Amino acid sequence: MPPDPVSDLADALGAVIGAEVALERPTETEYGDYATNAALRLAGARRTPPRELAAEIAAAAAELDGVERAEVAGPGFVNVFLGDGWFAEALSRILEAGSGYGRGRLEDGARLQVEMVSANPTGPLTVASARNGAYGDSVARLLEFGGGQVEREYYYNDAGAQMELFRASVEAVRRGDEPPANGYRGEYVRELAALPGDPVPEMLRRIEASLQRFRIHFDSWRRQSEFEERLPDLLPLLDTYEKDGALWARSSAYGDDEDRVLLRSDDRTPTYRAADVAYLVDKLERGFDLAIYVLGADHHGTRNWYAAVARMLGYDPARIEVLLYQLVHLTKGGAQTKMSKRRGDVVFLDEFMDEIGVDAARWYLVNRGPDQTIEIDVDLAAERSQKNPVYYVQYAHARIAGILRNAGGAEISAEPAVALAPEERELVKRLAELPGVASEAAAKRGPQAIPAYAIRVADDFHRFYTEHRVLESEQEAFRLGLCRATQTVIARCLDLVGVEAPERM
């Protein structure tokens, strides 16, 4: 199993007392390195007063390797104090694991698909689509880190009213006319009009280039039109009925909020809900254990629709997951800004990256939970100083890289030469949290936990570095080991949210 010093300590204690144990870090070190409320949780079932049971657990904990002592506190908490040997062993395991440290087995071997962005190719990607991509790609990275086989897919509409309106807008500019009243405008339309042929392939090429710059690579691109061809075979398999000249799915009987129109009443053309049916079937037929859709919050009704379709067709709805995210607002100079030089009503991803850089763009679009609206201060996001959290974390990585360069071929060790200082102990404990943080972030589809944790790692490192000399100290080998382990953890955190870990700044 991958190294997880904290879980191993909890498991060892749990094996002795015959119950699952969770260890938490107390807010104050005077209450121990870790604490557990196991006695309070188990007292009722074991018909033992909590403090009496806590005393038994404390005695068992004190016998474990690495534990210096254990004390009963309050109504039945057990505080565990660790010896330097535990910290040396934990650091040794982190160093030995190297870049693989923290890797989990949550999705070991599972085939997973994350479909994200999927904006129609009627214009450059906006910051709203960028949040979709940053969130979806970070979830994909976490699932891969947890052992899953992940495919990233982009699904787009290449036909229908909006696409024809986009083509008509480009064609109008080619003729020297104004686009239709409800058509597409902007510099990008004029750029496409200057090129021959269908503008959609070129728009897709630009979208893919923007996403590559944004550090998202898609394994597959799928078109809505190819799935609509399957509808004649699939629609008869659904529970449907005719009403007002339209074909409806009786989806409310299968857990959906309401019934959905599949074929329109005026011309019997398929709705996008109908195309959803064929696309969902295609995903599940490709053998994915889990198909994850990343959608804006305005698609909240889609979650139950997909599950209803799966039930109607005999698939397990648990193989489908819909992740929703909220809006993005940008402020500049204290006021909300559109920031776009091309149109007054949108902000394009490329402009956003030009303004604040790719690293800051990735960081700020994922450092809040998907259920929260993001407000990004463009001035702060563009600032290359330690007031900017992404640069603060990157600076810690770069500072460590400099220390290690200056160390040359000096010995790196996990064994302390003298008793550990509080700052050294706290930093090791913080590094030991990575496996649990990454696993929980993957399970909850909450990559925002990674930037928050990375800031805490950087805080603890800067505190350690401020108080203790690394090179030419009596503790040099151990402190170099601590620096190397910290660098590894920070680099992993940055990678999980698509941010680079610089060697110099």
Side-chain angles (χ1 to χ4, degrees):
M1 289 293 290
D4 186 345
V6 181
S7 290
D8 289 348
L9 179 61
D11 290 345
L13 181 56
V16 173
I17 69 172
E20 185 175 338
V21 172
L23 294 175
E24 302 289 341
R25 286 182 64 180
T27 54
E28 300 293 337
T29 56
E30 64 186 277
Y31 300 124
D33 294 300
Y34 294 99
T36 179
N37 65 352
L40 294 167
R41 184 168 49 84
L42 298 171
R46 298 195 177 183
R47 299 182 179 180
T48 305
R51 280 189 62 87
E52 182 179 326
L53 183 55
E56 296 176 14
I57 294 174
E63 297 299 317
L64 297 176
D65 289 342
V67 176
E68 189 173 83
R69 70 183 192 279
E71 300 174 349
V72 177
F77 294 99
V78 175
N79 297 333
V80 179
F81 297 79
L82 301 174
D84 284 358
W86 184 89
F87 291 91
E89 175 64 19
L91 181 58
S92 175
R93 296 176 67 189
I94 295 171
L95 291 171
E96 184 178 349
S99 62
Y101 172 62
R103 191 178 300 278
R105 298 263 177 97
L106 180 71
E107 302 289 350
D108 203 7
R111 289 196 64 216
L112 312 168
Q113 187 200 69
V114 179
E115 184 235 310
M116 54 188 162
V117 186
S118 297
N120 288 337
T122 55
L125 293 178
T126 66
V127 171
S129 293
R131 182 175 192 186
N132 183 311
Y135 175 45
D137 184 58
S138 294
V139 168
R141 289 169 185 248
L142 282 163
L143 293 173
E144 286 173 330
F145 195 54
Q149 301 176 36
V150 181
E151 177 187 283
R152 295 160 175 81
E153 184 159 280
Y154 191 115
Y155 170 67
Y156 65 95
N157 187 1
D158 59 332
Q162 286 302 311
M163 296 308 303
E164 292 311 310
L165 183 60
F166 169 62
R167 291 183 172 102
S169 299
V170 174
E171 191 57 40
V173 174
R174 284 173 176 164
R175 296 193 306 267
D177 299 332
E178 283 294 312
N182 58 344
Y184 293 87
R185 289 171 168 76
E187 181 61 29
Y188 76 93
V189 175
R190 287 187 286 275
E191 291 172 358
L192 293 170
L195 303 173
D198 184 356
V200 172
E202 172 60 19
M203 193 70 257
L204 276 170
R205 187 196 67 76
R206 295 185 180 196
I207 287 172
E208 184 172 10
S210 296
L211 289 167
Q212 290 282 6
R213 180 186 175 193
F214 199 49
R215 302 185 187 131
I216 302 177
H217 172 77
F218 284 91
D219 302 294
S220 54
W221 297 70
R222 307 302 290 271
R223 296 176 292 110
Q224 182 175 317
S225 61
E226 68 181 293
F227 298 112
E228 291 181 350
E229 296 172 0
R230 297 191 60 184
L231 289 177
D233 295 326
L234 290 173
L235 293 185
L237 302 178
L238 300 175
D239 186 353
T240 61
Y241 62 91
E242 293 281 345
K243 178 184 175 183
D244 300 329
L247 181 69
W248 293 71
R250 194 175 282 104
S251 47
S252 61
Y254 297 84
D256 198 2
D257 303 323
E258 59 185 354
D259 292 348
R260 309 284 183 173
V261 176
L262 297 173
L263 299 179
R264 297 180 179 90
S265 59
D266 50 358
D267 56 6
R268 303 292 284 188
T269 56
T271 64
Y272 72 92
R273 294 292 187 189
D276 285 344
V277 174
Y279 185 38
L280 186 148
V281 170
D282 178 78
K283 286 173 180 279
L284 300 182
E285 285 181 348
R286 279 186 272 164
F288 293 111
D289 297 297
L290 183 64
I292 298 174
Y293 296 78
V294 183
L295 303 171
D298 55 334
H299 290 82
H300 63 88
T302 302
R303 178 183 283 121
N304 290 337
W305 162 242
Y306 288 159
V309 171
R311 292 187 185 98
M312 277 191 268
L313 295 175
Y315 294 105
D316 181 0
R319 293 175 62 192
I320 303 159
E321 185 175 348
V322 176
L323 306 181
L324 302 175
Y325 63 93
Q326 294 290 336
L327 298 174
V328 180
H329 298 303
L330 305 178
T331 61
K332 191 171 186 179
Q336 189 164 325
T337 178
K338 297 297 184 183
M339 205 175 74
S340 176
K341 299 175 183 176
R342 303 181 183 179
R343 287 174 57 174
D345 59 346
V346 293
V347 178
F348 293 132
L349 170 58
D350 281 312
E351 293 175 327
F352 189 55
M353 291 188 287
D354 289 343
E355 184 80 10
I356 72 171
V358 179
D359 287 329
R362 286 291 304 238
W363 177 281
Y364 277 93
L365 287 171
V366 82
N367 75 337
R368 290 288 182 273
D371 58 335
Q372 300 177 30
T373 298
I374 292 180
E375 184 168 293
I376 299 175
D377 182 334
V378 175
D379 294 322
L380 175 60
E383 188 170 318
R384 295 176 180 267
S385 76
Q386 292 194 61
K387 291 191 295 183
N388 184 339
V390 62
Y391 290 108
Y392 175 69
V393 173
Q394 288 182 315
Y395 180 70
H397 184 275
R399 170 174 269 178
I400 294 170
I403 294 170
L404 295 174
R405 281 195 303 273
N406 291 335
E411 179 189 2
I412 292 178
S413 173
E415 293 296 327
V418 296
L420 293 180
E423 294 80 13
E424 293 169 321
R425 294 167 65 96
E426 291 303 298
L427 183 51
V428 173
K429 283 189 288 187
R430 186 69 71 193
L431 302 180
E433 293 175 2
L434 176 62
V437 170
S439 178
E440 185 176 7
K444 292 184 175 180
R445 314 299 192 241
Q448 71 276 4
I450 302 300
Y453 169 68
I455 290 172
R456 291 194 291 270
V457 174
D459 283 342
D460 284 344
F461 170 75
H462 288 307
R463 195 173 296 113
F464 151 75
Y465 187 73
T466 299
E467 295 294 328
H468 303 286
R469 184 180 182 87
V470 175
L471 300 180
E472 299 179 359
S473 70
E474 59 181 341
Q475 191 82 311
E476 179 183 277
F478 175 83
R479 288 175 182 166
L480 284 173
L482 189 52
C483 286
R484 172 70 59 79
T486 304
Q487 182 187 41
T488 297
V489 168
I490 291 176
R492 174 57 63 191
C493 290
L494 292 173
D495 180 71
L496 286 173
V497 293
V499 176
E500 291 186 337
E503 295 287 314
R504 290 180 168 85
M505 289 185 71

